[in-house]
Amino acid sequence: MTEKSTTTPYQLMGGEPTILNLVDRFYFYMDTLPEAEGIRKMHAASLANAKDKLFKFLSGWLGGPDLFVQEFGHPMLRRRHFPFEIAQSERDQWMLCMNKAIAEISMDEKLKNSLVEALDQLASHMINQ
């Protein structure tokens, strides 16, 4: 029997430094783009807690250390986002910021496209209005 070596998106992207950079860029855009004003207003004045949680979530979701689950339990993303009114416009604002952030990250184009597609589906799943 041969063992398969599995390389995760987390590893292919560059691990923790890359995920931290992605999260920083994402929140930079959320904080500065007028087109993202709607979702920015849903967040606290300081984005530190949101950055920490998104980093921890993405780390595990992409196949790295499962930091979010270790600290907060199962993500239950839709349930955790229920207190916020998320319609198509908020979903689109979130994806605008994420797409801009991902565009700045150096990675294989196929991986980048897969990541955008997966996040697009995840963002659509959050719609509750």
Side-chain angles (χ1 to χ4, degrees), residues 94-127:
W94 194 91
M95 281 307 300
L96 171 69
C97 298
M98 188 54 77
N99 284 331
K100 286 185 164 294
I102 289 171
E104 294 181 14
I105 304 296
S106 176
M107 72 177 94
D108 176 78
E109 216 45 47
K110 186 176 177 182
L111 175 61
K112 192 177 281 195
N113 292 337
S114 294
L115 180 60
V116 168
E117 184 179 319
L119 288 168
D120 189 70
Q121 290 174 6
L122 188 63
S124 294
H125 183 66
M126 296 299 108
I127 295 174

Side-chain angles (χ1 to χ4, degrees), residues 22-76:
L22 176 64
V23 169
D24 282 342
R25 299 309 303 153
F26 170 79
Y27 281 107
F28 166 78
Y29 287 118
M30 181 189 289
D31 204 30
T32 60
L33 289 176
E35 305 97 306
E37 183 180 15
I39 59 169
R40 178 59 181 98
K41 287 180 180 179
M42 293 179 171
H43 292 75
S46 169
L47 292 171
N49 189 41
K51 283 182 179 184
D52 181 60
K53 285 184 175 178
L54 182 58
F55 164 73
K56 288 175 178 173
F57 169 74
L58 288 176
S59 174
W61 187 71
L62 291 165
D66 219 351
L67 305 172
F68 189 94
V69 171
Q70 291 169 12
E71 189 170 339
F72 304 105
H74 190 283
M76 300 178 293

